Amino acid sequence: MSRAPFFVEPHTQESEGVDYLGLRALNLSMMDALLPGLNNVVSMIRPFTLMSWVAWRFEETVAGRPTVSSKEFEVFKQKVETVYVMSQVQAGHDAGLPGRQQKVPTTDMIRFQFSAFQRQGSILDAALYGPAIKSLSGLGFLSASDNGVFLKPTPFGRELALALDGRLREHLTKEQYEFISSLNAIDAPGNLIDEQFDRAWSLAEVSVQEKETFKKRLFQPELIGQRNPHARRAAVLLYAIESLRAVESPVNEAQLRSVMAYRFPPTLLAHPHAQTFRQVQRHWQLLQVRQAQRLAMESLFGWVERSLQHTRAASVEDLVNLALPTLKLQAESPMDKVYLHQQMTWLRGAGADLDELFAAGQQDPEALDVMTLCDKLETAVKNKGPAPDVVPLAIRLLLLSARYAEAFRDDEITTQEVSAGARFRLPLGVWAEFLGSHESHPFSALLHKVLGSFIVSQHLGVAAARSGDEKSRMRLSIEDRGLTSVLSNSKRVLVPRRTADRLGSALALMSACGLTQQVSASGVQQATFSAA
Amino acid sequence: MRETSSGSSDDDEQVKPQPAPAPLSVLEVIAAGKWKRAFFTTYTLSLTYVESHVLPALRRSGCDSLIILSDIAGYRDSLMEQRCQGVGRDYSVLPVKVSAGIFHPKLAYLEGALPEQDILLVGSGNLTYPGHGGSIEVLEVLRPSVAARAFTQCAEFLELLPVANHVKVAQVAAWEHVAVRMRAAAATGADTEDVDFVHCLLRSAQAQMLDAARSLSGHWLELLVLSPYHHPEARPILQLAEQTGVSQLIAGVPCRSNEPSAYPFAHVRSHFQSLRIMQPVPQSKPQRSLHAKWFELRGEAGALVLTGSFNATDTSFASTDNVEVGVLRRLPQPSACWAETQEPVYQAGEFPQRRDAKRPCLFAVLSEARELQGVMLASSVAGPWDLTLESADEVLLCEQVDLDEAGRFKVTLGQLDTTRIGTLQVTLQRDQTRARGWVQFSQVLCLEARSRRVMDAVFRVAAGMQTAQDAQALLDIIAQESSRQLQITGISASKTQQDKREVKHAEISGAAFAALRSDAESKRASSQESLLHALNAGARGLDLLDRIMDGLLPRLGERREDRPNGGASRSGGRAAHDPFSRVPGSDRDNDEDEDAGKKSKSGNKKAEQNQRRVADVYEALHKRLREVNNMLLRQPALAAAAEKAKLRLLMVWLGTALVHQVGLLGEPDAALAFLREVWMREVCAVQLPSEDKAWIARHVCGVAAACAHSWRLDDVSLAGNAGGSEEFRQATDPRRELRRRVSAFYGGNVPVDIVLAAAQDWLDDPRTTALVAEQVPQAVEALREVLSLPTERHILLRALDARAPLLKQDVAGFSSEVAGLFRRLSAAHLNSPSRVSFVDLRRMVRCPNLRCSYPYMTARKGRAPELDSDINWRLKKFGAFQCKCGQFLVASEPS
């Protein structure tokens, strides 16, 4: 214990995390309903093939043994992954490849394990290809073994594995193949990993057989109309394919997202499951509006952080007083008292139902299109100061999303879906309900409640609830002056963006297996696509 | 400047061979010990910080109780943290109002197992993220073994606090034990260090520091003052400097570059031409804003250092208006944690005055009798006020109450289910005056920490806000209580006295429950309130599990559309089958709604039906468990024999109930993964008496169908793909393993029709149907296919019976090792039948080839010899084994 006073040591970790208001889970569950089995990372076929081969090779080798340890599987997997990445980096085919930052040891004899390559993550990690490759969560190439200690290939995984195995046997020398196939050998001279490996398993090129097998799992149109994940994914992919077919020229990911929301592909009108595609469209629209609502909320949170850092604001009242002038409002003024009611009345006049609202959005995108407004808001929040247009844009999006929520509530497909989820995650329906109950209140009072309850209190509650891993999620606190930001500098202020909705990775995978065509070769976001 | 505890006289620390580095923050101090109770005082308060950092650290250290006294400013600010989950339920926050100033002390008292292990922390940091290290703060960590006097002085402070005229503090009874404990700690210690605990309830800090300075011999030469806030003319500093006769002043300034200082350099220079500028030197990360307060007189006799909450303002340092505390320490040498620096920019900075300082606030307690009693901490107007009781999401009560002359009010909450709401705030409003406060749940706060966690976990799970910790807490208590239940029921008459106490405890808890259940009021109370009563009554074992599940399941059975304000029930829409809907069972419910006009009524009916359905499910499961336990009570010998297996099974069963009915309802994939990968393996591996199998069989059948269905979905396209598909399926088909497990569960003879009917029944249940994406007939069909699959053993036996060689295609899908074994065996059976022996696993002790000496039996310590596990495993799994001597063994079909 101290024999003198001392200065307290700082906290070991700064605030971290991504979902400061706890709203993301709803968006993810909506994406999961639409494009199950994918995430925003999976964009190439080869990692699926490679990991299927790992599991198949392992199972073949250990079959018949009474006991198998998970360590053996891990050692084998690490060897194959380090060899694979090394061969692809050597060939310059490593763009987007998980683990490409691994450091190749400079010794003549190399131990092909993550520790020697100073590497942490595996292709099978939860944030990478792990969920997508597995049976229950993804496309179903691997499943847990009966004893749970390693992954084993499903029949499709085995098919993928055999396709790759054929290429390995064709291109590798006997010594190379024996090394890569062995469960025990993990040390090899560096020069054993030469260009033959790239020829066998290049990231840039997958065989027709691999493509076909992969396509069979990614896209199963015969299931459309059923309730299982493969059926849902197939319906959305077909909807995307037909949307691409319906446009005259190739479109990029953002354009396709918009097309899918606005235009029902005419070729699907006569489809036996036309109703399913109507549901796809509605759920897709609902997702876009939810994305807008979350972006608006997080933008307000980022604005609060900036305001606490750059101004003397130290309370919710101060924040309301900062925000009102940007909306050209004055607290307790006549306009303040009628603003919300006027805005909602105008929005209700813009369209009586969802179809009319979306049509109005196309005609007047600056006022009524959630995607256009999201684009503008994402630009505004990049401003380093508390930009004056963030609050007006965020508020406009929030009011607009409430109006859309009303229309979704009146639509037979989305009537329940719009309110699905825990109330504290503020589903669209709950947000519309809240706004409706405050429509007769002055806007300043509403803003006070929004900033106080849905931004500040919401963040603090989420931060408190996520304390289990000893990492701090706190970005706001209270000190002598009042509310304060605990961020060490303004560079760490939240600059929110919409969470990617998996459309990009779906397009990449569809193009990789020939379901669609990537017309321009740049990255997924910039690339344009057309129907195959 | 600091030393580790190796030189301490504390016995505990002397026995440590390698003393750990001394803790350098409040959290590190908490983490370094084992604490029973904690008590904090603060000016500002961040409940988020408390719940995300302090409370978890305290829990890890074993701490069961946390009480926080906060100034009404901090208390009022904390009200914006509406989503905090523990205030008033897991810990207490009590507001303190100081009429002429503020309640500003920052101390923490951590009670160890014994008074001499207690620790008193006094510093400058509030109970906030910045206050515990986000800013530059100062801290003193005191132990009674070396600073006993300070403990006594702190006890005096806490005793004086509630009787001071200018202080109004809530619930004194809740924390008066702290002073008693401090005195007990002081009585165990000594004063090897010259340390005083200083407060300003009676005299200002300035006066006390001056007294201390005068009591020491020698001249004072320098005065160092570090403070984030200063009197604009440095009056308290100059007064102290004058009266102590120092010739040199040292301005302590922030160490963060570009941070201005409120030290009035110009005014001080007008009195003392020589002014040194120094900044603190923390061990790391100096780029933090300054909040530490440090007064240090340096002279011939050493140094006199005052740290704590005192700012260099008149109110804080030179008056008794505020409530402040600090530690006054005499040091042989001046402190050395300073470095000369440049004079920063001056910016006047008095302590910030809060605009809402005069705004009243409330404190309220919800008693056992559901009476909400509160008090307004401000001068208040007696008469009627509008009371609102609300949670983070909803207003629960609006009622008029009468405030008496002392600012007190009370209201009975009647049927309101307050235990399912989480934290609550109460508001009183009259005209433009509005006062708000937290509600303390006295019945919850008096529970032990584990019970409070269970209460909160049940609440959060039911509210859809569960965290990983909640799931863990529930699984922990299920595991503990299941284990306890089995231990209690398995006790024989000859057990020890301690065991008898356990039995008695169980009897008491059962009796308490009987009383609870017959109580009419309790019957009307919600299920979670029953849990609260159960926890308060000390319920254990099955009774407690019963209440927990009772609290969880009915609420989960509610559908959103049945709730008030749920969007769907008000709409007239009728959704068709929608595979993208995340709302369970929405289409089914809508199909039942023939008339939108009757929606509300039918919605209520549906809610009742649904509640009953869920309750039925639970009741059925629970009844079975009761039967098993009754049987165990009747036949203790059987209990002893089956204890291990039953314990394992009980865990799995309860875990399953939790996972698939509660925690992962929204994730059928994950639930199925658990059932498929863990549950089936465990359940089918446990050797159960046939009477026990009966109650688990229904679940085995249902889960088996769900597994079969999931694999069928994986294969769905492949089914139409001829060619190599069968080979793939044979090679890796997990369905064979499933078939083997079901077969093992039924002892070899699977009653297919009964199994399929049971599967259908189980999957038809609304809790389980999501596991097969509502495709119950397809799942049952998939199970039928699985059960018709021949096992490897069947294929082998068929070939042996037919006395025909096994062809390559017969074993095409088998692993190469098994395929090779079967083909060799088949050939031997045809060409050299003596090399093939049919064996009964239960009787086999050696190789049938009498010339073979290979050991088949292995003996483990204290146990009878058993058949070698490898041989046993191969014969059970594949039905065949080749001995080292070359003899082939074929396992006879199980009877």
Short mmCIF file of all heavy atoms in Angstrom, two decimals, chain B residues 831-851:
data_model
loop_
_atom_site.label_atom_id
_atom_site.label_comp_id
_atom_site.label_asym_id
_atom_site.label_seq_id
_atom_site.Cartn_x
_atom_site.Cartn_y
_atom_site.Cartn_z
N ASN B 831 -12.69 -68.40 -47.02
CA ASN B 831 -11.55 -69.27 -47.30
C ASN B 831 -10.98 -69.96 -46.06
O ASN B 831 -10.38 -71.02 -46.16
CB ASN B 831 -10.44 -68.46 -47.98
CG ASN B 831 -10.97 -67.79 -49.24
OD1 ASN B 831 -11.80 -68.38 -49.94
ND2 ASN B 831 -10.53 -66.58 -49.52
N SER B 832 -11.08 -69.31 -44.93
CA SER B 832 -10.50 -69.88 -43.72
C SER B 832 -11.37 -69.51 -42.52
O SER B 832 -11.01 -68.67 -41.69
CB SER B 832 -9.06 -69.31 -43.57
OG SER B 832 -8.49 -69.78 -42.40
N PRO B 833 -12.54 -70.17 -42.43
CA PRO B 833 -13.53 -69.77 -41.41
C PRO B 833 -13.01 -69.77 -39.99
O PRO B 833 -13.50 -69.04 -39.14
CB PRO B 833 -14.65 -70.79 -41.59
CG PRO B 833 -14.44 -71.40 -42.94
CD PRO B 833 -12.98 -71.30 -43.24
N SER B 834 -11.99 -70.56 -39.70
CA SER B 834 -11.50 -70.62 -38.31
C SER B 834 -10.84 -69.30 -37.90
O SER B 834 -10.66 -69.04 -36.71
CB SER B 834 -10.50 -71.76 -38.16
OG SER B 834 -9.38 -71.52 -38.99
N ARG B 835 -10.50 -68.50 -38.86
CA ARG B 835 -9.86 -67.22 -38.52
C ARG B 835 -10.90 -66.16 -38.15
O ARG B 835 -10.56 -65.05 -37.81
CB ARG B 835 -9.02 -66.70 -39.70
CG ARG B 835 -7.73 -67.50 -39.88
CD ARG B 835 -6.89 -66.93 -41.01
NE ARG B 835 -6.53 -65.54 -40.76
CZ ARG B 835 -6.34 -64.64 -41.70
NH1 ARG B 835 -6.50 -64.98 -42.97
NH2 ARG B 835 -6.00 -63.41 -41.40
N VAL B 836 -12.18 -66.55 -38.21
CA VAL B 836 -13.24 -65.58 -37.87
C VAL B 836 -14.01 -66.10 -36.65
O VAL B 836 -14.48 -67.23 -36.66
CB VAL B 836 -14.21 -65.38 -39.06
CG1 VAL B 836 -15.32 -64.40 -38.66
CG2 VAL B 836 -13.45 -64.88 -40.28
N SER B 837 -14.09 -65.26 -35.63
CA SER B 837 -14.82 -65.66 -34.42
C SER B 837 -15.92 -64.66 -34.14
O SER B 837 -15.71 -63.44 -34.22
CB SER B 837 -13.87 -65.68 -33.21
OG SER B 837 -12.77 -66.50 -33.46
N PHE B 838 -17.09 -65.17 -33.79
CA PHE B 838 -18.19 -64.31 -33.38
C PHE B 838 -18.16 -64.19 -31.86
O PHE B 838 -18.12 -65.23 -31.17
CB PHE B 838 -19.53 -64.87 -33.87
CG PHE B 838 -19.67 -64.77 -35.37
CD1 PHE B 838 -19.12 -65.74 -36.21
CD2 PHE B 838 -20.31 -63.67 -35.94
CE1 PHE B 838 -19.21 -65.63 -37.59
CE2 PHE B 838 -20.41 -63.56 -37.32
CZ PHE B 838 -19.86 -64.54 -38.15
N VAL B 839 -18.13 -63.00 -31.37
CA VAL B 839 -17.90 -62.82 -29.92
C VAL B 839 -19.04 -62.03 -29.30
O VAL B 839 -19.68 -61.19 -29.93
CB VAL B 839 -16.57 -62.10 -29.65
CG1 VAL B 839 -15.40 -62.93 -30.11
CG2 VAL B 839 -16.55 -60.71 -30.29
N ASP B 840 -19.23 -62.33 -28.00
CA ASP B 840 -20.19 -61.57 -27.21
C ASP B 840 -19.38 -60.57 -26.38
O ASP B 840 -18.59 -60.96 -25.51
CB ASP B 840 -20.97 -62.52 -26.30
CG ASP B 840 -22.02 -61.78 -25.48
OD1 ASP B 840 -21.92 -60.53 -25.37
OD2 ASP B 840 -22.93 -62.44 -24.96
N LEU B 841 -19.57 -59.34 -26.65
CA LEU B 841 -18.76 -58.30 -26.01
C LEU B 841 -18.83 -58.35 -24.49
O LEU B 841 -17.87 -58.03 -23.80
CB LEU B 841 -19.23 -56.92 -26.48
CG LEU B 841 -18.46 -56.29 -27.64
CD1 LEU B 841 -19.11 -54.98 -28.05
CD2 LEU B 841 -17.03 -56.04 -27.23
N ARG B 842 -20.00 -58.72 -23.98
CA ARG B 842 -20.18 -58.68 -22.53
C ARG B 842 -19.38 -59.77 -21.83
O ARG B 842 -19.09 -59.67 -20.65
CB ARG B 842 -21.67 -58.85 -22.20
CG ARG B 842 -22.52 -57.64 -22.59
CD ARG B 842 -23.99 -57.98 -22.55
NE ARG B 842 -24.31 -59.06 -23.50
CZ ARG B 842 -25.54 -59.49 -23.73
NH1 ARG B 842 -26.56 -58.99 -23.06
NH2 ARG B 842 -25.77 -60.44 -24.60
N ARG B 843 -19.04 -60.82 -22.57
CA ARG B 843 -18.35 -61.96 -21.93
C ARG B 843 -16.91 -62.10 -22.36
O ARG B 843 -16.17 -62.90 -21.79
CB ARG B 843 -19.10 -63.25 -22.25
CG ARG B 843 -20.50 -63.24 -21.65
CD ARG B 843 -21.21 -64.52 -21.97
NE ARG B 843 -22.61 -64.43 -21.57
CZ ARG B 843 -23.56 -65.20 -22.01
NH1 ARG B 843 -23.27 -66.15 -22.88
NH2 ARG B 843 -24.80 -65.07 -21.61
N MET B 844 -16.51 -61.36 -23.32
CA MET B 844 -15.17 -61.58 -23.88
C MET B 844 -14.10 -61.06 -22.92
O MET B 844 -14.20 -59.93 -22.43
CB MET B 844 -15.07 -60.86 -25.22
CG MET B 844 -13.80 -61.22 -25.95
SD MET B 844 -13.80 -60.53 -27.61
CE MET B 844 -13.72 -58.83 -27.22
N VAL B 845 -13.10 -61.89 -22.66
CA VAL B 845 -12.00 -61.46 -21.80
C VAL B 845 -10.65 -61.65 -22.48
O VAL B 845 -9.63 -61.15 -22.02
CB VAL B 845 -11.98 -62.23 -20.46
CG1 VAL B 845 -13.19 -61.86 -19.63
CG2 VAL B 845 -11.91 -63.72 -20.70
N ARG B 846 -10.63 -62.36 -23.61
CA ARG B 846 -9.36 -62.60 -24.30
C ARG B 846 -9.65 -62.93 -25.76
O ARG B 846 -10.80 -63.08 -26.17
CB ARG B 846 -8.57 -63.73 -23.66
CG ARG B 846 -9.33 -65.04 -23.53
CD ARG B 846 -8.38 -66.18 -23.30
NE ARG B 846 -7.44 -66.24 -24.40
CZ ARG B 846 -6.25 -66.83 -24.32
NH1 ARG B 846 -5.86 -67.40 -23.20
NH2 ARG B 846 -5.44 -66.86 -25.37
N CYS B 847 -8.58 -63.05 -26.53
CA CYS B 847 -8.73 -63.35 -27.94
C CYS B 847 -9.27 -64.77 -28.11
O CYS B 847 -8.82 -65.70 -27.42
CB CYS B 847 -7.37 -63.21 -28.63
SG CYS B 847 -7.44 -63.58 -30.41
N PRO B 848 -10.22 -64.97 -29.02
CA PRO B 848 -10.73 -66.33 -29.23
C PRO B 848 -9.65 -67.29 -29.71
O PRO B 848 -9.77 -68.51 -29.54
CB PRO B 848 -11.80 -66.14 -30.31
CG PRO B 848 -12.15 -64.69 -30.27
CD PRO B 848 -10.92 -63.99 -29.83
N ASN B 849 -8.62 -66.76 -30.34
CA ASN B 849 -7.49 -67.61 -30.73
C ASN B 849 -6.68 -67.90 -29.47
O ASN B 849 -6.01 -67.01 -28.94
CB ASN B 849 -6.64 -66.86 -31.77
CG ASN B 849 -5.38 -67.63 -32.13
OD1 ASN B 849 -5.16 -68.77 -31.67
ND2 ASN B 849 -4.55 -67.01 -32.94
N LEU B 850 -6.78 -69.14 -28.99
CA LEU B 850 -6.21 -69.45 -27.69
C LEU B 850 -4.69 -69.33 -27.65
O LEU B 850 -4.10 -69.26 -26.58
CB LEU B 850 -6.66 -70.86 -27.26
CG LEU B 850 -8.19 -70.98 -27.10
CD1 LEU B 850 -8.56 -72.42 -26.73
CD2 LEU B 850 -8.69 -70.00 -26.06
N ARG B 851 -4.06 -69.33 -28.84
CA ARG B 851 -2.60 -69.19 -28.85
C ARG B 851 -2.17 -67.72 -28.75
O ARG B 851 -1.01 -67.42 -28.59
CB ARG B 851 -2.03 -69.81 -30.13
CG ARG B 851 -1.96 -71.33 -30.06
CD ARG B 851 -1.61 -71.94 -31.37
NE ARG B 851 -2.64 -71.64 -32.37
CZ ARG B 851 -2.61 -72.04 -33.62
NH1 ARG B 851 -1.60 -72.74 -34.06
NH2 ARG B 851 -3.57 -71.74 -34.45
#
